[in-house]
Amino acid sequence: MATGNLINTVQEEDAQLATYRTLPHNLEAEQALLGAVLINNDALNQVATFLDYTHFYLPVHGRVFEAVLKMVERGQIASPVTLKHYFDHDDSLSEVGGAQYLARLAGSAVTIINAEHYGRAIYDLAMRRELISIGEEMV
């Protein structure tokens, strides 16, 4: 798939399901947070205490976040360049554009000031999805 097709597909599927129900998510917040973390790993400190890779709606975003977290914990710098080899043979990242997607995430990040806000939004939406799942199990 070309860059962004996976994200467009998710948005199209959500539009088709809108008549029924769409799980809460914010792809832009996920992209903004990942971009902020990729351009300045210190932004990770603002969200690492409460945010986990499982909180991301798109699994590929969760994988990127997990990889950044692991690299930073090892004392390495996580950037599109250093993560490229990590995702070279990862089909999930190649579906959204591979290493170019990482560079696009970093390039589109405007500021790291709002990283905690983006992280809280992602976390809150993940909790809503979990509550919906629990409610569906109860029904």
Side-chain angles (χ1 to χ4, degrees):
M1 286 185 180
T3 303
N5 279 353
L6 178 65
I7 293 169
N8 292 338
T9 301
V10 169
Q11 290 170 340
E12 289 169 7
E13 288 174 3
D14 286 346
Q16 292 170 354
L17 293 175
T19 57
Y20 178 63
R21 185 172 29 191
T22 302
L23 290 176
H25 64 281
N26 186 338
L27 297 177
E28 292 80 10
E30 291 184 7
Q31 292 170 330
L33 175 65
L34 291 174
V37 168
L38 287 171
I39 61 169
N40 187 341
N41 293 163
D42 291 337
L44 193 59
N45 296 334
Q46 298 176 26
V47 297
T49 57
F50 64 89
L51 194 62
D52 189 54
Y53 74 94
T54 60
H55 295 138
F56 287 83
Y57 183 73
L58 276 185
V60 70
H61 287 167
R63 290 180 54 95
V64 171
F65 184 79
E66 181 181 29
V68 169
L69 192 59
K70 284 181 181 177
M71 289 187 80
V72 170
E73 285 175 350
R74 285 189 240 141
Q76 300 172 328
I77 295 174
S79 70
V81 174
T82 59
L83 287 173
K84 181 185 180 306
H85 80 280
Y86 189 84
F87 288 107
D88 272 344
H89 303 292
D90 188 338
D91 291 335
S92 64
L93 187 65
S94 66
E95 289 177 6
V96 293
Q100 293 174 345
Y101 184 65
L102 294 173
R104 200 175 86 206
L105 284 174
S108 66
V110 178
T111 180
I112 65 163
I113 295 171
N114 296 325
E116 184 177 359
H117 176 72
Y118 296 142
R120 292 273 178 212
I122 293 165
Y123 179 80
D124 290 344
L125 292 169
M127 292 301 106
R128 289 180 188 179
R129 290 192 299 271
E130 190 172 323
L131 288 171
I132 290 169
S133 175
I134 291 169
E136 288 176 344
E137 286 179 23
M138 291 176 63
V139 169

